[in-house]
Amino acid sequence: MLIRNAELEGYAGNPWRGGGQLADVRLAGGRIAAIGRLDPADGERVIDAAGGALLPGLHDHHCHLFALAAARTSVFCGPPEVDGAEALARRLAQAPGSGWLRGTGYHESVAGDLGPDWLDRAWLDAHGPDRPIRVQHRGGRRWIVNSAALDLLLAGGASPPPRLDRARGHIDDGDEWLRARLTGQFPDLAPASADLARLGLTGLTEMTPSNDAAALACLAAQQDSGALRQRLVLAGRADLPASADPRLRVRYTKLHLHDARLPDYEATVGLVAASHAAGRPVAVHCVTLAELVFALAALREAGPLAGDRIEHASIAPDEQVAEIAALGLIVVTQPHFIAERGDAYLAAVDPADRPWLYRAAAFLNAGVPLAAGSDAPFGRPDPWAAMAAAVSRQTLAGQVIGASEALSPEAALALFLGHGEAPERQRTVAPGAPADLCLLDRGWAKARESLGAGLVRMTVGAGAVWFERKVANGSDHGHGSVTNPS
């Protein structure tokens, strides 16, 4: 394939600033073969980029693929679509089908004055349809089930999950147990992978803490079959085996902290040290200040390893930002949560903590490598929406949270251009690099004015077209094979 008249900048190692030169890019053998003024070869498909910006394929540095795939057939049960008990009851009643009903995205703000633990087994029994129901909190750790669901899950004398509140129907940290009791199988990732390709994503970091050898084998098999197109970096349990496949790299031990039940400190230090001894960095989930303080103390005592990451860093005062910088840690943030959840944050988060919510500029100013991930399906999987939120810092209601944390469009784009295994290193369009590319329908000077998924004209992975949208000012010559997931 030959992509002609593409706007390039950064392939010589310079940061992306837009307004770059136009050049032709030849792809061969799954890599970028040449850049310059190039003549088409016989039988080569030629695409006229018409001055559109050609970027490295985007990388989502924090997502949950299996949950994202499952969410496609689930009922969304949270704000802003569901804003109260009556709205939730209607949403559940209108769900199609007659078997298991799976809800996602629930947040306690839906309860209003009814209290944070209002949604329970008794309410689902009284207000939900007559079918087994399980609803997941948007934080990902809790499932709320009705009596019909609990009876099925515990049928035949099955051992209950370790953290079951039977009376309330609350199951915490029970994903593996639920999967074993329901189907024992992982979902088909093809539809989700195709959707991500339409957004320009050619790489993903799968951050589910329960990832084990079975999850690794499933991901490898779905890549081999072509169902899962994106390159993967994987986090998971400490005993997650390594992978020699360059498309699927096991990189991190995931530590999922919860400040209401923090793990034993010495055991955590030992886990970090053991992971480091095996050459594996840790990625630590920190959505509260208590979790962040605990994580930094453990990392400081164990001794940091290059590649150690803080996931979310949802609340990070200046003191902790400075310590993150001193320890040489990477932060992976979710700027779109300001847009998606910001109004709820303004209602629920202590005013003293609001300046520290999902910071961005402060980390960069302190020299902390910063990348972004969607946390999908617990956040929208759209990297362009995340970029726009990083620039505007606006909630859905138009309120601005942390105006001083706003990024330029270029810095927002850079959040998704880091290497999967090393987010601190920016990828560029360069000879010899993998032919994982995202072609926009316009030059960067125009694209930066309105960041959105509609900018993506073509997504190329390993030299093959995964997604293509025809544009009026582009031309295409030749008869190359095109794979279009739409």
Side-chain angles (χ1 to χ4, degrees):
M1 184 188 308
L2 181 64
I3 302 174
R4 308 198 77 178
N5 302 314
E7 181 188 57
L8 295 179
E9 187 160 332
Y11 63 80
N14 299 315
W16 182 272
R17 300 188 187 282
Q21 60 183 313
L22 297 186
D24 307 330
V25 180
R26 171 163 286 125
L27 313 182
R31 294 194 170 269
I32 297 171
I35 295 176
R37 285 301 176 187
L38 307 173
D39 294 326
D42 290 342
E44 187 172 51
R45 182 183 178 190
V46 179
I47 297 164
D48 184 7
L54 186 63
L55 314 174
L58 305 184
H59 190 102
D60 184 330
H61 292 277
H62 184 126
C63 67
H64 303 276
L65 261 179
F66 296 123
L68 178 62
R72 293 174 58 87
T73 57
S74 303
V75 176
F76 189 72
C77 298
E81 292 95 326
V82 177
D83 58 4
E86 292 184 5
L88 179 57
R90 286 195 303 271
R91 180 62 63 95
L92 295 174
Q94 293 168 1
S98 58
W100 274 93
L101 193 165
R102 184 183 192 274
T104 59
Y106 170 74
H107 185 258
E108 51 268 21
S109 60
V110 171
D113 296 333
L114 299 175
D117 291 327
W118 148 78
L119 185 62
D120 61 9
R121 173 182 175 180
W123 188 93
L124 288 174
D125 287 348
H127 298 89
D130 185 18
R131 55 193 291 196
I133 303 170
R134 68 189 194 277
V135 177
Q136 187 180 39
H137 188 280
R138 77 178 184 190
R141 301 191 70 161
R142 170 169 291 178
W143 288 92
I144 305 101
V145 299
N146 67 349
S147 294
L150 194 59
D151 289 345
L152 286 174
L153 291 169
L154 298 178
S159 299
R163 301 192 55 220
L164 165 66
D165 182 336
R166 192 184 298 257
R168 301 190 64 80
H170 289 178
I171 301 173
D172 290 348
D173 299 322
D175 282 3
E176 290 179 87
W177 183 87
L178 280 168
R179 185 170 64 243
R181 294 298 300 157
L182 291 168
T183 66
Q185 298 179 349
F186 293 98
D188 176 17
L189 299 177
S193 179
D195 285 345
L196 296 173
R198 294 184 184 95
L199 299 168
L201 286 159
T202 60
L204 310 167
T205 299
E206 220 297 342
M207 268 287 156
T208 305
S210 60
N211 281 331
D212 56 9
L216 176 64
C218 174
L219 292 167
Q222 296 211 35
Q223 281 185 327
D224 289 343
S225 71
L228 175 57
R229 300 163 181 270
Q230 285 79 11
R231 297 178 188 269
L232 284 187
V233 175
L234 195 60
R237 293 165 35 143
D239 59 357
L240 182 63
S243 167
D245 190 334
R247 299 171 304 164
L248 176 54
R249 308 300 294 178
V250 175
R251 174 66 169 157
Y252 304 102
T253 299
K254 176 71 180 292
L255 280 65
H256 198 159
L257 302 181
H258 192 296
D259 68 356
R261 294 177 297 275
L262 288 172
D264 179 81
Y265 176 73
E266 294 300 332
T268 302
V269 172
L271 177 61
V272 172
S275 183
H276 287 175
R280 187 170 293 177
V282 296
V284 191
H285 166 104
C286 297
V287 298
T288 69
L289 181 56
E291 292 167 10
L292 181 58
V293 169
F294 181 93
L296 294 179
L299 285 162
R300 183 171 59 250
E301 184 164 339
L305 178 70
D308 283 341
R309 300 169 28 155
I310 299 295
E311 308 299 312
H312 311 300
S314 307
I315 297 177
D318 289 344
E319 179 181 352
Q320 280 67 44
V321 171
E323 187 167 5
I324 289 170
L327 289 171
L329 307 179
I330 299 163
V331 169
V332 178
T333 185
Q334 289 73 37
H336 55 299
F337 282 172
I338 291 295
E340 295 176 18
R341 307 179 180 181
D343 296 308
Y345 292 155
L346 289 174
V349 174
D350 188 321
D353 288 335
R354 290 176 192 166
W356 321 130
L357 279 167
Y358 287 97
R359 305 181 78 179
F363 286 120
L364 294 177
N365 292 339
V368 175
L370 187 66
S374 64
D375 201 25
F378 310 111
R380 287 180 60 192
D382 182 352
W384 300 96
M387 292 179 217
V391 173
S392 73
R393 303 285 301 186
Q394 284 191 348
T395 72
L396 291 175
Q399 299 296 310
V400 174
I401 297 179
S404 63
E405 298 297 332
L407 300 181
S408 69
E410 292 71 33
L413 172 64
L415 299 177
F416 295 92
L417 295 185
H419 284 265
E421 294 184 78
E424 71 278 10
R425 292 194 293 113
Q426 292 281 289
R427 290 170 295 120
T428 58
V429 179
D436 299 339
L437 302 167
C438 175
L439 176 63
L440 305 187
D441 65 4
R442 67 202 73 180
W444 180 248
K446 288 292 186 182
R448 72 188 301 279
E449 296 174 357
S450 182
L451 297 170
L455 296 170
V456 179
R457 173 182 166 187
M458 178 179 288
T459 303
V460 176
V465 176
W466 290 352
F467 167 74
E468 183 174 10
R469 176 172 58 85
K470 295 295 186 181
V471 294
N473 64 341
S475 60
D476 182 358
H477 308 284
H479 304 282
S481 174
V482 178
T483 301
N484 189 332
S486 62

